[in-house]
Amino acid sequence: SIPAIPSSKMADPPPTAATSSQKNRRKRKRKGSRSTSISLFDHSSSSTNIHDLNVPLPRTQGALTDLMSRLRSTGYGAVAFSHTAYGRPDPKKDAMDAVLQDSVLESSLQASVVTSAGRDNTKKNRQRFQILKRLNAVVEELSDIAYYTDSTADTSGGGSGGGGSEANDVLDSYDLVALSPRSDATFASACSTASRADVIMLDYSTGRLPFKLKGSSIRAASKLGIAFELCYASAILEPSKRKALVRIALDLHNASRGVRNPSPRIILTSGARVAAGEDFGTMALRTPSDLINVLKTVLKFGDVQAMDAMGAASGDVVAQCRNRKLGLCVVPSGGGNNGMKNTVGVDAQGCDNEGESLPALGSARGRIQKLINSAAATKQQKMKEDNAAVTKEEEAKDDWTGHVQESDSELNDNEGGEDDDDDGFITFS
């Protein structure tokens, strides 16, 4: 008799061919169980892509800690705390060290880390949270725009507290410089000449813009790399200003049509949180996802433009400010949704493509000015050499013309006299 084989040792039956419906079910099952991509607002991965570049500094350190904790917990990776000045900043009153002290910001950052994370993990979280310092300059007089241009910044006078060099140090000490024009003339001048500004604020605190948005001004500002800023906090706190925000966004879209190479940068920030004389603090802030939905549905931004307003465009502004402080040449590129910029490093001999080895960052502007002066001197020397060569050619031409005229006069004298055989000419018959 044949002994029975245990069931555990029996070979598995051959697999049957799966039908097409079974294959499709397996594909759908595998696709559903596949891990999804990391969200844009995931704090552990890409939170550094979300910026709020206009957070007015509160009056108390406790309110500052609450703001940092709120912004960090909602996924922001870079925040610019701002101070407001009027006209030309005063070197004593508006100096960065006097209004935005590093010790206050550092202590508030440590407290916000403990509050939001529940444990002191400052070093790890500081790498994901970048703090910038920004100057908001309210410009009412047209003459004040010259202070924010490279051509007259070195010679223009500062505020009432000091000379031009001290006032220039005030601008260089801030990470970002923003202008808030208050008339058509100041807006047009800021867009075309304010090369030391990074942002132009579209302030609707009075319920309307104090100037008209024009395509020519938008194009000029885009060539300088200046971004346009919309603030949402006022519209949240005061319903009467929501219509003004929507109207300004629509006017900005209409004025930006046809502006290409580069396209205008538009960023969204929180801005002033004050209503009826009271600072509402964290109550005026919103999460990045809520703001992107507002940009799409209410302000009629496209998907890419809405994401860039909180991420890529703001990141380009921060990169431009960093390059300006390092003394790098910033050249607008010829395309892109946000007017991306190519940076070229400046060294003692000229510009290269690396931007490395800048030993004296404070003298970068002086090195650039020396390069400009050297190029102008070389051009002037070449013009002198060309003029000398032209003068020499003219003198040689005049000498030749004089010899020709003398020969013609001798021939005329011979023709006027009598013909004889002693004139030196040989006659052939």
Side-chain angles (χ1 to χ4, degrees):
S1 63
I2 300 175
I5 301 176
S7 60
S8 61
K9 296 183 179 181
M10 292 182 64
D12 294 334
T16 58
T19 62
S20 59
S21 60
Q22 291 177 346
K23 291 181 179 179
N24 293 333
R25 283 196 298 269
R26 292 175 183 174
K27 289 181 180 179
R28 288 194 297 269
K29 186 176 180 180
R30 288 195 300 268
K31 185 177 181 180
S33 61
R34 188 178 302 169
S35 60
T36 58
S37 59
I38 299 176
S39 173
L40 176 65
F41 312 109
D42 186 16
H43 185 75
S44 62
S45 61
S46 57
S47 62
T48 55
N49 295 331
I50 307 301
H51 303 73
D52 191 346
L53 299 184
N54 188 10
V55 181
L57 189 70
R59 296 181 179 180
T60 63
Q61 188 169 357
L64 177 61
T65 302
D66 294 340
L67 287 175
M68 286 190 180
S69 178
R70 172 66 174 173
L71 292 168
R72 292 185 69 259
S73 62
T74 52
Y76 287 91
V79 174
F81 290 99
S82 59
H83 166 70
T84 302
Y86 293 87
R88 303 183 181 187
D90 192 317
K92 295 181 179 179
K93 298 179 181 179
D94 301 321
M96 184 198 66
D97 296 335
V99 295
L100 297 173
Q101 299 179 2
D102 292 335
S103 58
V104 176
L105 296 176
E106 182 69 19
S107 59
S108 298
L109 177 61
Q110 293 179 359
S112 68
V113 170
V114 176
T115 303
S116 60
R119 55 192 178 90
D120 192 358
N121 198 11
T122 308
K123 183 177 180 180
K124 181 178 179 181
N125 285 278
R126 189 185 294 123
Q127 297 175 356
R128 306 175 188 171
F129 193 73
Q130 183 181 11
I131 296 179
L132 304 173
K133 301 173 183 179
R134 163 173 164 164
L135 176 66
N136 293 340
V138 179
V139 182
E140 297 179 352
E141 300 294 335
L142 185 61
S143 59
D144 292 335
I145 295 294
Y147 175 76
Y148 301 95
T149 62
D150 285 327
S151 59
T152 58
D154 297 333
T155 58
S156 62
S160 60
S165 60
E166 295 180 357
N168 290 334
D169 294 338
V170 175
L171 286 187
D172 295 335
S173 63
Y174 285 91
D175 298 316
L176 285 84
V177 177
L179 299 182
S180 179
R182 295 306 170 91
S183 64
D184 290 330
T186 54
F187 174 70
S189 180
C191 290
S192 57
T193 61
S195 54
R196 301 189 72 182
D198 306 300
V199 177
I200 290 181
M201 303 172 59
L202 304 180
D203 187 8
Y204 58 95
S205 58
T206 60
R208 56 182 292 274
L209 273 181
F211 48 82
K212 185 177 181 181
L213 296 174
K214 297 181 180 180
S216 57
S217 300
I218 302 294
R219 184 177 293 103
S222 300
K223 291 181 179 180
L224 290 179
I226 301 176
F228 295 93
E229 178 184 82
L230 296 172
C231 301
Y232 66 85
S234 298
I236 291 177
L237 298 176
E238 301 182 41
S240 60
K241 296 181 180 180
R242 296 175 184 174
K243 186 181 295 185
L245 176 60
V246 176
R247 186 185 304 109
I248 292 172
L250 180 60
D251 293 342
L252 184 59
H253 283 307
N254 294 334
S256 301
R257 290 180 180 178
V259 180
R260 295 292 184 272
N261 299 326
S263 299
R265 295 175 181 170
I266 303 175
I267 62 176
L268 182 67
T269 62
S270 57
R273 306 176 303 272
V274 179
E278 181 182 357
D279 188 351
F280 283 81
T282 58
M283 296 179 61
L285 301 180
R286 293 296 181 268
T287 62
S289 57
D290 292 341
L291 295 177
I292 290 178
N293 290 333
V294 170
L295 287 170
K296 292 180 181 179
T297 58
V298 180
L299 303 183
K300 305 303 180 183
F301 278 57
D303 293 341
V304 176
Q305 195 176 17
M307 298 291 289
D308 290 346
M310 301 292 298
S314 300
D316 293 342
V317 173
V318 175
Q320 173 184 343
C321 300
R322 181 177 63 251
N323 295 332
R324 175 173 54 83
K325 289 177 69 68
L326 293 177
L328 302 181
C329 299
V330 184
V331 182
S333 65
N337 294 328
N338 300 307
M340 298 290 289
K341 289 196 166 190
N342 298 326
T343 58
V344 182
V346 179
D347 55 13
Q349 286 76 25
C351 295
D352 57 21
N353 294 324
E354 298 297 332
E356 299 178 354
S357 65
L358 295 173
L361 300 182
S363 61
R365 188 177 300 276
R367 295 200 306 273
I368 295 175
Q369 188 64 36
K370 288 181 180 179
L371 292 175
I372 296 175
N373 296 337
S374 177
T378 303
K379 184 177 181 181
Q380 188 176 5
Q381 182 65 24
K382 187 177 180 181
M383 292 177 62
K384 289 182 179 179
E385 294 177 356
D386 293 342
N387 293 334
V390 172
T391 304
K392 188 175 181 180
E393 291 179 358
E394 291 179 353
E395 291 177 354
K397 186 177 180 181
D398 293 339
D399 294 341
W400 172 256
T401 304
H403 291 304
V404 172
Q405 290 177 353
E406 290 178 0
S407 300
D408 292 340
S409 62
E410 292 178 357
L411 290 176
N412 293 332
D413 293 340
N414 292 331
E415 290 178 357
E418 296 180 354
D419 293 337
D420 52 12
D421 294 338
D422 298 331
D423 56 4
F425 292 97
I426 301 176
T427 304
F428 294 92
S429 57

